[in-house]
């Protein structure tokens, strides 16, 4: 069956449908990872986005029940050059196509993903529509134009948990950590558990008093989708928590923290999405190869330099990738230290969080 991806500026590509059928809108973006497509598909940070994989062959190792980063898929659409009809891996439990059908994700293969990626790099990520239903190109472009973008849009409320829960059993743990679920990846929770933390996950809308009632040793602000400035309720909550507990922010949590510290955020032209981003730690001068997924960034010049120190920068475009408060046990990174492109380059950030809780105790 024919499938079409149409962008708001009139750029259109035709391909062959695989996975689910139908029509969905979202911001079209590209990811440069060579593998990890199941983790990408189940990362809540991709809510509201149609993902293009730049690596040409996707699906060759199938999917399994262990590599989910959340309980379901969140992308609005999936674009590949070629979907592998054969998968082979000792951990595989099914095909990518069956996974997309089960999760009602529309896929397109047989399109020139290089041309689409170059277009986005030149003109920026933009609103789009993926469809097997409407095949009139002009009509699809109009649908893309009229769709909701990401700027000013709160997508956190669509992916956060509905109520508080404890990750695993939480018994015999040294530290109690509250995780604000903005669309948290499971591997963040797994690593906190491995490092000896009782992990209490709360909805992003949870107010500060409820956090005080839990009496945690530390607070983690998770990754998530959309425009951080739209998540005003969490920004206000974080302001009340600063100085009361050690705070660690990851990805969207880094942006939320930047806003809570009085800074500003802005939308990147085409964002950072992939497993090969070079990030320099300005404190050690070490370069880490990291995994990233974000379309917004903290404005370096908006931060109060007397209170906040920039700790990491992206070597590709010099954007802020990490910061810490000069007096309070508060720090954050834009990249994903729980992911494994390094493969363990950034795990020490969790150790830093543990150390800050030990010191606070």
């Amino acid at each position: 069956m024919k499938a079409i991806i149409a962008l708001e500026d009139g750029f259109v590509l035709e391909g062959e449908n695989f996975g689910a059928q139908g029509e969905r809108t979202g911001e079209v973006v590209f990811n440069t990872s060579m593998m990890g497509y199941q983790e990408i598909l189940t990362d809540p940070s991709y809510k509201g986005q149609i993902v293009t994989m730049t690596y040409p062959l996707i699906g060759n190792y199938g999917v399994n029940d262990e590599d989910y980063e959340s309980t379901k898929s969140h992308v609005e659409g999936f674009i590949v050059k070629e979907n592998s009809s054969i998968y082979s891996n000792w951990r595989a439990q099914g095909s990518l196509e069956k996974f997309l059908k089960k999760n009602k994700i529309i896929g397109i293969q047989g399109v020139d993903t290089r041309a689409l990626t170059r277009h986005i790099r030149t003109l920026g990520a933009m609103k789009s529509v993926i469809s097997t239903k409407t095949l009139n190109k002009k009509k699809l472009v109009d649908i893309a134009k009229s769709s909701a973008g990401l700027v000013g849009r709160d997508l956190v409320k669509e992916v956060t948990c509905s109520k508080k829960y404890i990750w695993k059993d939480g018994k015999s743990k040294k530290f109690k950590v509250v995780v604000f679920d903005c669309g948290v990846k499971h591997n963040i929770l797994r690593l906190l558990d491995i490092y000896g933390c009782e992990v209490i996950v709360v909805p992003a809308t949870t107010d500060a008093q409820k956090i005080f009632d839990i009496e945690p040793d530390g607070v983690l602000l998770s990754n998530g989708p959309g425009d951080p400035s739209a998540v005003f309720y969490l920004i206000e909550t974080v302001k009340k928590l600063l100085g009361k507990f050690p705070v660690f922010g990851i990805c969207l949590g880094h942006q939320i923290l930047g806003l809570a510290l009085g800074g500003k955020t802005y939308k990147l032209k085409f964002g950072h999405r992939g497993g090969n981003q070079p990030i320099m730690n300005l404190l050690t001068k070490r370069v880490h190869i990291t995994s990233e997924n974000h379309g917004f960034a903290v404005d370096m010049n908006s931060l109060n330099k007397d209170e906040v120190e920039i700790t990491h920068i992206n070597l590709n475009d010099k954007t802020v990738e990490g910061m810490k408060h000069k007096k309070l046990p508060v720090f954050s990174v834009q990249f994903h230290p729980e992911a494994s492109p390094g493969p363990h380059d950034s795990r020490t950030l969790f150790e830093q969080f543990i150390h800050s809780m030990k010191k606070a105790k």
Side-chain angles (χ1 to χ4, degrees):
M1 179 179 286
K2 183 188 286 188
I4 296 177
I5 177 76
L7 279 57
E8 61 178 306
D9 69 343
F11 186 85
V12 177
L13 288 172
E14 290 185 21
E16 178 186 337
N17 168 242
F18 75 107
Q21 298 172 12
E23 188 170 289
R24 298 283 285 276
T25 60
E27 182 172 275
V28 64
V29 299
F30 63 86
N31 188 297
T32 59
S33 297
M34 295 174 68
M35 58 181 67
Y37 50 82
Q38 184 177 345
E39 289 87 342
I40 290 165
L41 287 164
T42 56
D43 180 352
S45 297
Y46 280 110
K47 179 70 179 174
Q49 296 165 72
I50 296 172
V51 179
T52 305
M53 299 300 294
T54 60
Y55 190 69
L57 184 63
I58 300 295
N60 54 330
Y61 58 85
V63 298
N64 64 74
D65 293 336
E66 297 177 13
D67 290 346
Y68 281 76
E69 286 292 357
S70 65
T71 55
K72 63 178 183 177
S73 184
H74 296 272
V75 303
E76 306 300 334
F78 199 51
I79 307 169
V80 302
K81 173 64 177 173
E82 181 183 348
N83 168 53
S84 178
S85 58
I86 299 171
Y87 64 90
S88 177
N89 185 275
W90 66 275
R91 298 173 69 238
Q93 294 171 301
S95 70
L96 172 60
E97 181 160 20
K98 284 184 179 178
F99 175 90
L100 293 183
K101 284 180 178 177
K102 179 182 176 183
N103 287 275
K104 299 178 181 178
I105 302 299
I106 306 166
I108 296 183
Q109 65 169 327
V111 299
D112 189 343
T113 51
R114 291 179 304 175
L116 179 56
T117 300
R118 285 174 65 88
H119 189 78
I120 297 169
R121 277 184 60 88
T122 303
L123 300 175
M126 60 186 79
K127 295 186 289 184
S128 65
V129 59
I130 186 171
S131 181
T132 62
K133 179 176 148 186
T134 305
L135 300 179
N136 182 296
K137 295 178 183 178
K138 186 179 182 304
K139 189 174 181 181
L140 285 172
V141 171
D142 290 338
I143 291 171
K145 285 179 181 176
S146 61
S147 65
L150 293 185
V151 176
R153 188 176 170 194
D154 178 10
L155 288 171
V156 169
K157 282 185 177 177
E158 297 183 35
V159 298
T160 190
C161 57
S162 58
K163 60 181 180 180
K164 179 180 76 173
Y165 69 90
I166 295 175
W167 177 259
K168 294 196 173 179
D169 57 21
K171 294 177 182 177
S172 303
K173 300 296 185 181
K174 295 178 182 177
F175 305 99
K176 187 190 290 185
V177 175
V178 165
V179 175
F180 277 96
D181 179 13
C182 301
V184 67
K185 292 171 67 178
H186 283 176
N187 212 36
I188 292 175
L189 307 180
R190 291 187 194 107
L191 282 176
L192 287 172
D193 179 72
I194 288 169
Y195 277 102
C197 300
E198 176 188 354
V199 183
I200 303 167
V201 185
V202 300
T205 52
T206 305
D207 61 49
Q209 186 54 54
K210 288 181 180 176
I211 306 303
F212 290 129
D213 293 342
I214 295 172
E215 298 182 338
D217 297 305
V219 173
L220 187 141
L221 309 173
S222 86
N223 62 291
D227 187 342
S229 63
V231 195
F232 59 88
Y233 45 89
L234 181 54
I235 297 167
E236 292 305 311
T237 298
V238 173
K239 286 179 181 179
K240 296 173 184 175
L241 300 179
L242 292 176
K244 308 297 182 183
F245 312 102
V247 177
F248 179 21
I250 295 176
C251 198
L252 181 78
H254 160 80
Q255 298 161 10
I256 293 291
L257 184 58
L259 291 165
L261 289 169
K264 296 178 181 178
T265 56
Y266 62 96
K267 194 173 189 297
L268 294 166
K269 186 176 181 181
F270 49 80
H272 303 153
R273 297 173 182 89
N276 51 3
Q277 291 286 333
I279 307 301
M280 176 174 276
N281 183 328
L282 298 175
L283 306 179
T284 64
K285 303 304 179 185
R286 244 185 112 184
V287 177
H288 295 219
I289 301 303
T290 71
S291 173
E292 296 206 330
N293 169 23
H294 65 108
F296 291 81
V298 175
D299 182 355
M300 186 184 303
N301 298 318
S302 68
L303 296 168
N304 184 341
K305 300 299 190 296
D306 293 330
E307 294 183 351
V308 183
E309 180 180 2
I310 304 302
T311 58
H312 297 75
I313 60 165
N314 189 301
L315 293 181
N316 286 334
D317 59 10
K318 304 301 186 292
T319 52
V320 176
E321 291 283 350
M323 60 188 179
K324 70 172 185 174
H325 197 281
K326 291 183 178 181
K327 297 177 182 177
L328 303 176
V330 173
F331 70 102
S332 63
V333 289
Q334 180 63 76
F335 52 91
H336 285 270
E338 84 290 346
S340 307
H344 306 302
D345 282 12
S346 306
R347 292 281 174 90
T348 54
L349 288 161
F350 285 93
E351 294 169 12
Q352 183 180 331
F353 185 43
I354 298 298
H355 178 72
S356 68
M357 289 190 288
K358 274 184 184 176
K359 194 174 179 182
K361 270 196 168 185

